[in-house]
Amino acid sequence: LEFRRVLFRSVPGQYSVAETVSHPSVECIYVIRGTMTVEVAGVAHQVQAGEAITFEAIHPHRYVNHGDVDAEIILSVTPPIP
């Protein structure tokens, strides 16, 4: 099983991408610090430190830090995208 793992830091107000994206993978994020809003198929999920979310990335998605503090997540994607 191949996957890519990325440590991602986000300042308050930062979006992972301007517009949602989709690709044929599965994504899992684990929030280390802060809170991230994970938008998947138009639904916003609040994921706090110590929590994780997994979803089919074929659905349009992006990550947003709506909090007041920096957020830090580990993102895993399988299969990896270029």
Side-chain angles (χ1 to χ4, degrees), residues 9 12-14 23 25 30-31 33 36-37 53 58-59 63:
R9 292 184 181 100
Q14 183 178 1
H23 48 88
S25 298
Y30 174 78
V31 179
R33 180 174 49 138
M36 289 295 286
T37 301
I53 185 171
I58 196 72
H59 302 291
Y63 307 115

Side-chain angles (χ1 to χ4, degrees), residues 29-69:
I29 73 157
Y30 174 78
V31 179
I32 299 169
R33 180 174 49 138
T35 301
M36 289 295 286
T37 301
V38 181
E39 297 176 358
V40 181
V43 178
H45 305 271
Q46 296 293 322
V47 187
Q48 298 183 22
E51 297 179 337
I53 185 171
T54 301
F55 60 92
E56 295 286 338
I58 196 72
H59 302 291
H61 63 281
R62 67 180 176 176
Y63 307 115
V64 187
N65 182 352
H66 287 303
D68 295 329
V69 298

